[in-house]
Amino acid sequence: MAPAGRPGRRRLYGSLALGAAIIVTAGLLWPNSPDGPDGSSTGTGGTSGETRTADAPARGAAAAKELQKLPGLHLRAVYGPGSGKPQTEADLTVTADGKATGTLRMPVTGQAAMAWSGSQLYLKGDKEFWAQQNPHYGGDVSSSGHWVAPVKRDGYYMLDSFGINAGSLNPKSLASLVRTVTSDPSVVTEDAGSMQGRKVTSYSAGGRMVILADAAPHTLFAIGANPADASPVRTAAWPRTTGSAVRLAAYGDGDGYYNPYLVAKPEPATDKEVAAARADAAEAQGTAVPPLTSAEKVAASQGPVFTTTFNSPYLCSSNPCSYSFTVTNTGDEPGDATLHVAFPGTSERVHPLGTLAPGQSKGVSGIRPNVAAGTGKTVRHTDYSWVYSTAVYGPDPKVAQRLHARELEPGDVFVATPLEPLAANLLDLMTKNAEPADTQTNEKAVEALRAANSRGQLPLLMTIAASGRLANPQDLADSLSTTDEIGGARVLQQVAHLLKTDPKARVWFDGGYKAGDGQTYKTDYIFTSSRDGQEIRRAVQVKTIEAWKKLWPRIAEATRQLNGENKKGKAQQGKRGPEKAPPGFERVVQINLEPSVGQGFFYGKADLERVLRHKNYAQARQNLCMENGAFGLDRLVIVNSTGTHEWTDLSKLDVPCQSPGR
């Protein structure tokens, strides 16, 4: 067997990690590893492959019989839409008659309660969850905590981030799937080690996989499948009114295939859990509302919206002149409001209005100088007014003042009202160090955030901004230009996760770190922190691999980048300069393995070590050395479905560098 061969089109690419692969710290369901690189089994079972294959139909039938007796199932699952989009973690209870309730969680931030009844999905999500969805419901669904019945916007899935008919994950459907896989004449069996103290075997056929206990009762421990190809498990798709059904399988670009996939661990649900699921599904079905249908309704339905009316006469012939404004909350929730007005020849005046209820108005009046006094002429002038509210700009009035001075507002990013304070924080973070008249910086920030919003990445950016520990916010607009591809998207997720989980971390994201030698250095991300009283200083170059053949070329490229040796002698683009780790920083190469790499996606650390040390890669390992023969990196990190695997002693991988120094 080759060291992690290229997968075929129908191979199952299941992920078992909780959350996106690049931030996983432990596998959810998978045993430590499948076959080793030399073809030997790494499991602990003692039954031969031939015996397991011969017994597969009988074991499958026994497991299916056991499943069908259950009133319902509790499932921990991970769904990947494919094409590098974030994975969704699900915790579900599914009844025997196809009702389901549970929780969906997005990587880093955002979650929703979900229910399934009949052929309809119901959701009750927080604002971070809605902002990551495609079709993009973040702009037209309130985050006030009520149930919503999604309707079709774009594409085929009801919810792209969890495109599963949750009701089809019932005991009868899984029993049918088990029978189909284990009775397939082409079924492939593998010793899968042990789960819950019992020896288990995986059975794979037609791109579907089940893991069963070797000894009776032959409990089903895990399933994996593309739901579009695993009947009676089905996708959560709207039925087509004309034409034939469409297979929901994406095609690859030569580096692998990006089919949607689901991996789940089922356990028997108690009668109490089943009863609760039915009740919750009935509540969702009975109280859900459809999402809104127009931008005007959206604007007025997700929080306070303030409109200002200028009531003064167009022409003033007295001195001083009087002025009058009316502020009205045209939204559907109360909100605090402060009116700011500015006239020629006067400083800005501030009028606190308190909290305005929906539909409530308050007036403001006063006097101001007549700028035409003594001139004998009619003078045209412009008066300015704007409303500050914590519901729109957040709690810091200085953020609002800086944005107003730049003629920026959070609505420029095209986000729903509940997200506007976070968008305001981001806009301010990206522009406050530039001159107010720098319109190019303003436009660049707005366009970058609009693009990130269309990709569902604003919650990740908001997590980064909220930490207050991004050291190079002025580079953020440039950094976001790479997050439209899988590699850049995974780096963004990693940075957001790091800043959320490590309160001591300070991060330079794809930007310039100015070192004590006066030079500026750049890697995918650089960070400082401390742990157990020890300072941590790391420069990380990240590569996301979709095909195993790219592994060593990407490791080599990352190593060259960390040492400033990539594209040496060629003109370097970008104002932040070429990649290179700062002096005194640990050099880290991080490799994220996507499901499309094949069996390497499921390797444990021991398997990865055996593969990396394989004789076929002897020449490739030399690329981990610098041009002077010294080690080119200090830490190698590989992330796949079984966890995050690290090596600081690279001699274990037979790397032939001359010394650990630089």
Side-chain angles (χ1 to χ4, degrees):
M1 182 183 293
R6 182 184 179 85
R9 177 173 297 176
R10 291 177 62 83
R11 184 178 178 92
L12 165 70
Y13 307 137
S15 169
L16 307 162
L18 284 174
I22 61 167
I23 63 173
V24 67
T25 57
L28 170 60
L29 309 173
W30 212 263
N32 284 338
S33 57
D35 284 356
D38 57 356
S40 62
S41 171
T42 58
T44 59
T47 308
S48 70
E50 293 81 0
T51 302
R52 288 195 301 268
T53 301
D55 290 348
R59 292 182 179 182
K65 184 177 180 180
E66 181 183 342
L67 277 168
Q68 287 182 296
K69 297 177 183 177
L70 299 175
L73 291 170
H74 180 74
L75 296 104
R76 288 184 295 149
V78 173
Y79 175 79
S83 301
K85 297 175 183 177
Q87 300 167 13
T88 300
E89 177 195 344
D91 196 335
L92 308 175
T93 299
V94 185
T95 69
D97 56 349
K99 292 181 170 56
T101 59
T103 303
L104 305 180
R105 283 179 284 272
M106 303 300 295
V108 184
T109 185
Q111 70 176 38
M114 66 81 63
W116 183 277
S117 183
S119 60
Q120 179 64 52
L121 171 70
Y122 303 95
L123 294 165
K124 183 165 59 174
D126 60 25
K127 58 182 180 294
E128 290 81 11
F129 176 85
W130 290 121
Q132 294 177 76
Q133 301 314 310
N134 184 19
H136 185 62
Y137 294 106
D140 65 1
V141 179
S142 170
S143 62
S144 60
H146 59 255
W147 286 102
V148 172
V151 296
K152 187 174 183 180
R153 284 289 187 275
D154 182 33
Y156 195 62
Y157 288 132
M158 281 188 184
L159 189 71
D160 192 61
S161 63
F162 194 74
I164 304 292
N165 177 327
S168 73
L169 297 172
N170 60 70
K172 184 178 179 180
S173 293
L174 296 196
S176 178
L177 180 63
V178 169
R179 286 195 187 96
T180 299
V181 172
T182 55
S183 63
D184 192 304
S186 65
V187 66
V188 175
T189 62
E190 293 181 279
D191 180 352
S194 63
M195 300 184 77
Q196 298 181 13
R198 300 178 65 189
K199 294 178 181 179
V200 295
T201 296
S202 69
Y203 301 86
S204 302
R208 293 154 290 184
M209 175 277 301
V210 297
I211 293 180
L212 304 178
D214 287 357
H218 298 292
T219 304
L220 172 65
F221 280 103
I223 66 162
N226 174 357
D229 197 24
S231 180
V233 173
R234 301 190 301 277
T235 58
W238 283 273
R240 303 190 68 165
T241 55
T242 61
S244 59
V246 173
R247 290 270 306 253
L248 300 182
Y251 291 95
D253 61 1
D255 283 350
Y257 301 96
Y258 313 123
N259 292 316
Y261 58 89
L262 170 76
V263 180
K265 183 183 185 304
E267 294 179 347
T270 65
D271 290 337
K272 183 177 180 180
E273 288 175 321
V274 169
R278 285 200 179 96
D280 291 345
E283 178 192 353
Q285 186 175 16
T287 61
V289 299
L292 298 168
T293 56
S294 71
E296 290 77 14
K297 291 181 179 179
V298 168
S301 70
Q302 300 189 54
V305 178
F306 300 101
T307 58
T308 304
T309 304
F310 181 58
N311 305 316
S312 303
Y314 178 74
L315 180 66
C316 173
S317 57
S318 62
N319 188 24
C321 298
S322 62
Y323 66 85
S324 173
F325 293 88
T326 299
V327 177
T328 303
N329 180 0
T330 59
D332 69 343
E333 294 182 11
D336 61 283
T338 300
L339 178 67
H340 293 247
V341 294
F343 309 104
T346 68
S347 58
E348 187 175 77
R349 299 180 182 180
V350 180
H351 296 275
L353 303 176
T355 297
L356 299 184
Q360 183 181 3
S361 299
K362 280 192 178 181
V364 168
S365 59
I367 58 173
R368 45 88 176 223
N370 188 334
V371 295
T375 66
K377 300 178 181 180
T378 298
V379 178
R380 294 182 179 273
H381 61 87
T382 302
D383 301 331
Y384 294 94
S385 67
W386 63 284
V387 175
Y388 165 69
S389 173
T390 57
V392 177
Y393 290 96
D396 187 353
K398 293 182 179 179
V399 169
Q401 290 166 356
R402 287 192 292 264
L403 292 181
H404 177 67
R406 290 183 169 278
E407 298 183 11
L408 290 174
E409 56 185 59
D412 293 338
V413 185
F414 304 149
V415 295
T417 304
L419 293 171
E420 285 188 344
L422 302 172
N425 190 26
L426 273 169
L427 276 173
D428 182 58
L429 185 73
M430 296 167 69
T431 60
K432 67 181 180 180
N433 291 328
E435 292 297 323
D438 184 355
T439 57
Q440 184 177 4
T441 294
N442 297 348
E443 293 170 0
K444 194 172 184 179
V446 170
E447 290 303 317
L449 291 180
R450 286 178 180 175
N453 187 32
S454 71
R455 298 190 290 268
Q457 295 172 342
L458 275 190
L460 299 175
L461 292 169
M462 292 166 177
T463 298
I464 291 171
S467 74
R469 288 176 278 112
L470 179 66
N472 61 320
Q474 69 279 1
D475 296 325
L476 194 53
D478 288 324
S479 300
L480 291 177
S481 65
T482 66
T483 62
D484 59 339
E485 298 179 354
I486 185 171
R490 295 295 187 253
V491 174
L492 178 64
Q493 289 175 13
Q494 180 64 45
V495 170
H497 176 74
L498 177 61
L499 287 170
K500 181 178 181 179
T501 58
D502 184 350
K504 298 179 181 178
R506 189 165 184 244
V507 178
W508 289 256
F509 172 31
D510 190 38
Y513 174 87
K514 294 183 179 180
D517 60 3
Q519 301 296 313
T520 299
Y521 297 85
K522 171 183 175 293
T523 65
D524 284 335
Y525 67 97
I526 296 168
F527 75 96
T528 61
S529 185
S530 63
R531 188 175 304 153
D532 299 327
Q534 298 295 315
E535 184 181 25
I536 298 172
R537 292 156 58 90
R538 292 178 184 169
V540 186
Q541 203 67 30
V542 182
K543 302 295 177 185
T544 297
I545 309 300
E546 297 170 291
W548 189 265
K549 66 181 181 180
K550 299 291 183 70
L551 176 65
W552 284 104
R554 293 292 185 264
I555 292 177
E557 180 184 17
T559 301
R560 292 194 301 269
Q561 289 171 326
L562 286 171
N563 294 286
E565 295 179 349
N566 195 48
K567 299 181 180 180
K568 204 167 185 179
K570 297 182 180 180
Q572 299 291 329
Q573 301 296 321
K575 65 182 181 180
R576 286 171 282 166
E579 298 96 339
K580 189 176 182 181
F585 276 66
E586 184 180 12
R587 299 161 298 172
V588 182
V589 171
Q590 177 174 318
I591 304 296
N592 303 317
L593 299 182
E594 290 292 304
S596 53
V597 301
Q599 64 193 37
F601 186 65
F602 307 116
Y603 283 163
K605 186 172 184 179
D607 296 306
L608 287 168
E609 282 193 12
R610 284 193 288 271
V611 169
L612 295 173
R613 294 178 61 180
H614 197 279
K615 62 182 180 181
N616 290 357
Y617 298 133
Q619 184 174 355
R621 287 192 292 273
Q622 296 178 8
N623 292 322
L624 275 66
C625 308
M626 296 171 59
E627 292 177 352
N628 63 7
F631 278 86
L633 70 161
D634 305 300
R635 184 184 298 264
L636 175 65
V637 180
I638 296 181
V639 185
N640 65 4
S641 66
T642 67
T644 300
H645 312 289
E646 303 187 17
W647 293 267
T648 54
D649 182 1
L650 298 178
S651 65
K652 291 184 177 180
L653 304 179
D654 292 342
V655 177
C657 306
Q658 296 175 358
S659 71
R662 303 191 183 183

